[in-house]
Amino acid sequence: MTQTLEQPSGLYLQNSSEQIAFPLKHTEVKAKIAGNISRMEVTQSFENPFTTTLEAVYIFPLPDEAAVDDMLIRIGDRTIQGSIKKRQEALAIYEQARKQGHTAGLLEQERDNIFTQSLANIKPGEQIDVIIRYSDSLKFERGNYEFIFPMVVGPRYIPGIAIAENAVGGGSAIAPMTSNQDTDLVPDASRLNAPLLPAGMRSRHDINVTIEINAGVEISDINSPSHQIQIIREGQLVNVKLAGTDTIPNKDLILHYQVSSNNIQTTTLTQADERGGHFALYLIPALEYRPDEIVAKDMVFLIDSSGSQSGEPLMQCQKLMHRFIDGLNPDDTFNIIDFSDTIRQLSPVPLTNTSQNRSLAINYINRLNAGGGTEMLSGIRAVLNLKVTNPGRLRNIVLLTDGYIGNENQILAEIKQCLQPGTRLHSFGAGSSVNRFLLNRIAELGRGIARIIRHDEPVDEVVEKFFHQINNPVLANIQLQWEGKGESPIMYPSTPPDLFAEQPLVLFGRKPDARSGKLYVTGIAAGGKRYQHSFHLDFPQTGNPAIAQLWGRSRIKDLMNQMVSGDTKEGVKAVTDTALTYQLLSQYTAFVAVSDDIGVNPNQDSVSVQVPVEMPEAIMHEGIFSNITAGAAPGGARVTQRREMKKQSAPPPPAPMAAPALPKPLPQFEEIQSLAMESYIPISEPEIGFTDVDDSSNFYSLRLEIVNVTGLSPQMISLLAQYLQPIQLPRGFSGDLVFEFQVSRGRVRQLVLDEQASSLKEQTVIELIRRSLLAWLPPQTLTSTVLLILRIQS
């Protein structure tokens, strides 16, 4: 190891005999809010504390609907503008620059709310700033606005089978509950989790946030449930800053405020440029409803009881559940399911709302304890497949979780495929830094409501408002109609959701020819009455440019929602084209910035450090990891992590009936399942593996033939054919599948299905083959673009 420089201020981690300072010093956030739109500038300041050249890699969050449209790096008095490229192209430019000794920055998106910043060739003692800019749309109901800035990515649980290059003992091993192992279900898991600082440790990284609010009207009731803030007023302009005692980046910043205006029911914003006319529409229908009208519901509560929920998050979920049970209407029925490695339920059938059943439920809730992994897919499958005993009731599923998983798309695909028309799926996130991307998308696809509550917030008002809303849906079957000359606008969401009491309808539209016209919003209000509201839209050349960026971001979101079951050729192209047209970051585009001069000798030694992050506030290390070591040194900073496998010793809830037999458990899950068998009603789940069904007799090795391959040598084609032959596929399906993918650094990357060229449409077969291809390990030296045509024959 090389010696470090004279140490700058801050705390350090001890690694062998050497003290290590991490390179991220400070994050400065500046927000300007005008009406419903926020414009953000985030500056990350990196400094090289080593005596050798440094590459810094930092995983961080941004809001899940942020339209990131600018990135640059600043070295002293020089500023280098980043440019948007296709992701693989940007990565190639960055790698070449790094090898040649140029200072370079690369900004990539891993999920809608997880990003990676890479910064190459920072000279010893040098400071480099990375500046990221984005636009976002504020959430609001009536005159209550909410501004969110996330500060840390919580540790994601990674399910699936470990890909062999990361697995101990080969590729067939079940991935242990580590945070950085790629698996067949989460092939990019190693890019989702930064190293975590051990309990009680602090890096020198701190954060400052300044928010300027210009609502055009008086602003009142400014408060933050998450941070201590300072408020400075200048007429109708308000500046909010973090207090100097609250600068640790370990929780979401949440800011609430109210505006005094008679026009808050409707807001329309327009903008025009060479790409067409764009608009944002915010509407809260002024509808009357009967607050005393009671709708009988079937309520099912699905609770995450995994290790990350240990301590205050689970306690908050228990408080929420108490209020949910107390808030049920007399004619409602209910049930409770909780999940971690296994799934348990209160009752095999919905329970009527009697005092005896409520006591049974409260006893069950009080005895919940957190431990094990977040196998959310099993919980979602169980709750979506619960038998409906009364088809006349609207079933409401309420999921309570922090969302700390890496297989978000698998969850969303299951909801999209299996949610019944008479079911609504709502999501409640409890904690300081929950996965808002997952919780928001679950509610959108579930035609429900998403609510985020901190672990230390009062729950009564939140639950009361939730029941008030779901008891009073005010506008359904919303239709959009354009009246005017020229092309009709393209609007998102393409299918507007039903609205609940006080919930706004938010639309983003683009009219390619920018010609004015009238937009009609119609729907069915409570009592069957027809509702209609019209808007006259003009597109002057002036206007907020963020409107166009937010439309582009909304289009990308809609396209990505269509690909939750896997990337398709047409879908990826549409996202990429939109992102390049609107200069937006996406999962298929990236920002890259490269200095002109060669700042360092490319032949000299260098270090690559992955910046560690804080554990989110109120999350217990013991609930996530049983052993953590951390350090930064030449060659990379790593955190060795092992997930807590054993349930805590508190007694589990009693079961109202005997437990049925479970399928044969995997060895490392035996102890957990035996605990569950003592007192829970388990719900049978398949063993983890490619088959993923209960009846293996429906699966057998079909004839899977490689029809054509381009981009691989005959020898590699033969190896690939041998690798694919053992896959067990379901009976009764035949046809061709056409895949395109990149091979580089010993892995299959950018795997997309050509839907138009493929004749086989069965998702189960496609998913099995997709997972297998992503786990294939070609030689490290092979770099190629591959076109693969497979034929499946019964």
Side-chain angles (χ1 to χ4, degrees), residues 15 22 44 47 79 265 289 306 317 351 371 375 435 439 457 459 473 498 503 513 552 557 564 611 642 663 735 770 784:
N15 185 10
F22 291 110
Q44 300 163 350
E47 184 180 71
T79 298
Q265 301 290 351
Y289 53 87
S306 64
C317 286
L351 298 177
E375 293 291 342
N435 185 354
L439 292 163
E457 280 190 88
V459 303
D498 293 347
Q503 181 184 3
D513 57 15
K557 172 183 165 183
V564 289
V611 177
R642 182 167 61 86
R770 188 191 298 273
S784 180

Side-chain angles (χ1 to χ4, degrees), residues 428-453:
F428 270 74
S432 65
S433 307
V434 301
N435 185 354
R436 292 172 183 268
F437 157 60
L438 177 64
L439 292 163
N440 288 337
R441 296 300 182 277
I442 283 175
E444 288 170 12
L445 292 178
R447 303 189 296 275
I449 295 170
R451 285 283 179 267
I452 310 297
I453 183 169

Side-chain angles (χ1 to χ4, degrees), residues 27-34 36-44 60-72 81 107 109 112-113 115 130-138 146-151 207-211 252-253 436 544-550 553 582-586 591:
T27 297
E28 186 73 25
V29 181
K30 295 181 180 179
K32 290 190 175 183
I33 300 175
N36 303 88
I37 306 298
S38 64
R39 183 63 181 170
M40 308 290 298
E41 180 176 283
V42 180
T43 303
Q44 300 163 350
F60 65 98
L62 289 175
D64 60 281
E65 295 193 11
V68 182
D69 58 14
D70 196 15
M71 173 265 208
L72 50 91
Q81 180 66 52
L107 178 61
Q109 178 183 314
D112 283 23
N113 60 342
F115 301 81
V130 178
I131 301 167
I132 301 165
R133 298 189 179 111
Y134 67 87
S135 299
D136 200 7
S137 180
L138 269 64
E146 182 179 64
F147 169 86
I148 303 291
F149 182 77
M151 295 187 181
I207 191 166
N208 185 53
V209 183
T210 303
I211 306 164
D252 292 353
L253 169 61
R436 292 172 183 268
N544 190 337
I547 304 303
Q549 304 306 92
L550 290 172
R553 183 67 190 85
Y582 286 84
Q583 299 287 289
L584 293 174
L585 194 63
S586 72
F591 277 99

Side-chain angles (χ1 to χ4, degrees), residues 222-260:
I222 305 172
N223 69 88
S224 172
S226 62
H227 286 74
Q228 300 176 45
I229 57 175
Q230 298 174 343
I231 302 170
I232 303 170
R233 293 180 179 270
E234 298 178 7
Q236 292 182 345
L237 193 68
V238 175
N239 282 284
V240 180
K241 295 183 178 181
L242 289 188
T245 56
D246 209 350
T247 60
I248 300 174
N250 66 344
K251 55 190 172 182
D252 292 353
L253 169 61
I254 304 170
L255 185 71
H256 295 144
Y257 62 91
Q258 291 185 332
V259 299
S260 303

Side-chain angles (χ1 to χ4, degrees), residues 377 380 384 399 409-420 425 438 441-443 445-447:
L377 180 62
I380 290 291
L384 292 180
L399 169 66
N409 272 359
Q410 200 180 17
I411 304 300
L412 301 179
E414 192 73 19
I415 294 168
K416 191 173 182 180
Q417 181 177 350
C418 299
L419 188 76
Q420 298 300 314
L425 176 53
L438 177 64
R441 296 300 182 277
I442 283 175
L445 292 178
R447 303 189 296 275

Side-chain angles (χ1 to χ4, degrees), residues 335-336 345-351 386-387 389 655-658 681 683:
N335 205 345
I336 302 172
Q345 66 182 25
L346 171 65
S347 169
V349 295
L351 298 177
L386 278 180
K387 185 178 179 181
T389 57
M657 62 175 286
I681 295 181
I683 299 175

Side-chain angles (χ1 to χ4, degrees), residues 516-543:
S516 62
K518 187 175 287 188
L519 176 66
Y520 292 92
V521 178
T522 61
I524 304 300
K529 295 180 181 178
R530 186 173 184 272
Y531 170 86
Q532 179 173 297
H533 197 106
S534 63
F535 302 87
H536 183 79
L537 296 174
D538 289 313
F539 300 99
Q541 290 298 314
T542 58

